[in-house]
Amino acid sequence: MVRSGGRAMTRFKLVCERVAETARLMVGVPDYKTYVAHREAMHPGKEIMSYEAFFRERQEARYAVSKGRLRGCC
């Protein structure tokens, strides 16, 4: 029984992570893990922003788009 409880907690944690990721995307904040994976794959050796800097940059980019300016990485 302990094992099934452990699996249930693991599944619950996964569901919570997905809900949080979806909520962040709904308000215009991409997932930090996805950003890190992209930087490592597409821009090896370049600096990776801290979570705080990433969040701030994404917020600034979100509002810049609403003002008619587009920014992008690639």
Side-chain angles (χ1 to χ4, degrees):
M1 285 197 157
V2 173
R3 291 188 127 161
S4 64
R7 278 188 248 162
M9 259 330 248
T10 301
R11 183 160 174 76
F12 178 74
K13 184 178 177 183
L14 179 62
V15 168
C16 288
E17 288 173 359
R18 295 290 187 232
V19 167
E21 179 182 351
T22 300
R24 283 191 289 275
L25 289 171
M26 288 173 66
V27 297
V29 180
D31 187 52
Y32 183 69
K33 290 179 190 176
T34 302
Y35 159 75
V36 171
H38 169 80
R39 292 292 291 188
E40 289 173 345
M42 304 302 289
H43 309 280
K46 295 204 176 176
E47 186 177 346
I48 296 175
M49 288 186 275
S50 67
Y51 177 80
E52 292 78 15
F54 170 78
F55 182 83
R56 189 172 39 254
E57 193 274 335
R58 290 289 82 216
Q59 288 296 302
E60 290 171 5
R62 177 180 182 207
Y63 293 109
V65 169
S66 68
K67 294 177 184 175
R69 297 178 303 200
L70 296 174
R71 287 179 38 181
C73 168
C74 299

